[in-house]
Amino acid sequence: MYAVPDQAGKLVVVTGANSGTGKEATRRLAEAGAHVVMAVRSIAKGEQAREEVLAAHPGAQLEVRRIDLADLASVAEFADRLIAERTPVDVLINNAGVMAPPARMTTADDFELQFGSNFLGPFALTVRLLPLVLAAPAPRVVTMSSGVASYGRIRFDDPVLCPEQVVRAGWFHHDHPAAAAGPGRRRRDPAVGRGRAPDRREPGRQHGPLVGRSYAEGLRH
């Protein structure tokens, strides 16, 4: 297994840190000495995940803060708190997301849920935290996405497209902008050209909470 190098003295922000890949990233980074801000929608679930990590690593530096990527006001509130503290962000991991809602759902700002949560929210967070990211000596922004991006296309006549039905349980239409804006697309990253290291990752196929919930919802409809 890959050994995470020493992260002592570094501040890491992980969205969706209470489960799945976000929780594992939190555990591994905290184990390596990083101070991890667990950015979660549910404080209760975040605290439960924090206690589980602390049980295995009592010295872990973890704090739970609320963010809802489907609400741009929540994104702003979360970012403004970090900005007020003026601590450089060494690593931002945009991990949280939703997958294949069984019906059309919208964000607090009336965007289609996947487009808002998986693309607009993380982009807004990255832009708002960019001054703190650029203040770190060797920062990295990592955005988790989907392999569907390798063949996704954006329909510009309907940029917030939501499919009429889920195509096979747990999968969404490849014309959806959230699919077309992933690691296979060279969209303009706010950190590009500034000597920094933006990164996009597909976590691979796994049966984590995201997939499990998506398939269950799809099978019920």
Side-chain angles (χ1 to χ4, degrees):
M1 181 180 290
Y2 171 74
V4 179
D6 182 35
Q7 302 294 306
K10 293 186 178 182
L11 176 64
V12 179
V13 176
V14 182
T15 66
N18 60 285
S19 65
T21 55
K23 182 180 177 182
E24 180 63 14
T26 295
R27 182 186 71 80
R28 297 287 300 279
L29 288 163
E31 183 181 11
H35 180 121
V36 182
V37 174
M38 303 172 66
V40 298
R41 189 175 60 175
S42 168
I43 291 293
K45 291 180 179 179
E47 290 291 352
Q48 180 180 348
R50 177 178 179 272
E51 291 302 319
E52 290 171 1
V53 174
L54 284 172
H57 307 287
Q61 301 177 67
L62 304 169
E63 59 177 305
V64 177
R65 300 191 185 186
R66 186 181 186 278
I67 187 172
D68 184 352
L69 292 168
D71 182 348
L72 293 177
S74 175
V75 173
E77 182 180 359
F78 175 88
D80 287 347
R81 181 178 171 187
L82 281 172
I83 291 169
E85 293 167 358
R86 301 180 179 230
T87 303
V89 174
D90 295 275
V91 182
L92 168 61
I93 302 179
N94 291 311
N95 165 77
V98 298
M99 176 179 165
R104 185 181 181 92
M105 301 172 69
T106 56
T107 69
D109 307 286
D110 207 29
F111 295 106
E112 192 278 322
L113 184 62
Q114 289 178 115
F115 185 40
S117 298
N118 298 3
F119 183 77
L120 297 178
F123 187 83
L125 178 63
T126 301
V127 171
R128 284 184 173 274
L129 292 183
L130 195 58
L132 295 182
V133 171
L134 295 177
R140 183 174 292 273
V141 177
V142 180
T143 299
M144 306 297 281
S145 187
S146 169
V148 177
S150 62
Y151 56 87
R153 298 291 183 272
I154 295 177
R155 282 182 47 178
F156 289 99
D157 60 327
D158 186 6
V160 291
L161 169 72
C162 180
E164 292 299 321
Q165 60 182 0
V166 177
V167 182
R168 300 180 184 174
W171 292 100
F172 59 89
H173 201 286
H174 68 270
D175 283 350
H176 193 281
R185 294 285 171 264
R186 294 183 178 274
R187 71 176 184 271
R188 180 66 178 174
D189 190 292
V192 170
R194 298 171 181 260
R196 306 310 183 209
D199 200 1
R200 301 177 185 88
R201 283 289 175 263
E202 214 277 47
R205 186 163 297 184
Q206 57 175 310
H207 191 71
L210 179 66
V211 175
R213 284 194 299 268
S214 300
Y215 275 75
E217 288 297 320
L219 288 170
R220 283 199 290 266
H221 290 76

